[in-house]
Amino acid sequence: MNAITFTPAQVQVFNLVSHIKTETGLEALRQQLAAFYAKRIDDEMDSLWESGQYDAAKLQELRGSHFRTSYK
């Protein structure tokens, strides 16, 4: 059986999460993680916009698109 190796970031998260004892604490962590990733996405989109890789024409082109996999 192979041993699982965790990255330093994973170990840090495990250590922090071990202190959460309530549902309220867990919900607060979920909100913080969602805010963290939302900010990263916003920053990346701003970067794409400023570089010209994403613009109003591309936004209009993607409007109304559906990218989910159809399972029917």
Side-chain angles (χ1 to χ4, degrees), residues 41-54:
I41 290 168
D42 282 345
D43 291 347
E44 182 63 24
M45 288 303 299
D46 288 345
S47 174
L48 289 170
W49 193 277
E50 289 169 6
S51 72
Q53 295 178 35
Y54 193 78

Side-chain angles (χ1 to χ4, degrees), residues 48-49 52-63:
L48 289 170
W49 193 277
Q53 295 178 35
Y54 193 78
D55 57 13
K58 184 70 171 175
L59 180 64
Q60 188 64 31
E61 177 185 324
L62 294 173
R63 182 167 279 156

Side-chain angles (χ1 to χ4, degrees), residues 6-42:
F6 295 108
T7 67
Q10 290 170 319
V11 172
Q12 181 72 35
V13 170
F14 291 147
N15 288 335
L16 291 170
V17 171
S18 70
H19 298 288
I20 297 174
K21 305 293 184 200
T22 65
E23 285 294 319
T24 304
L26 180 58
E27 183 58 30
L29 176 62
R30 284 185 185 131
Q31 290 176 359
Q32 288 294 314
L33 288 171
F36 171 78
Y37 284 108
K39 181 173 180 349
R40 288 187 65 181
I41 290 168
D42 282 345

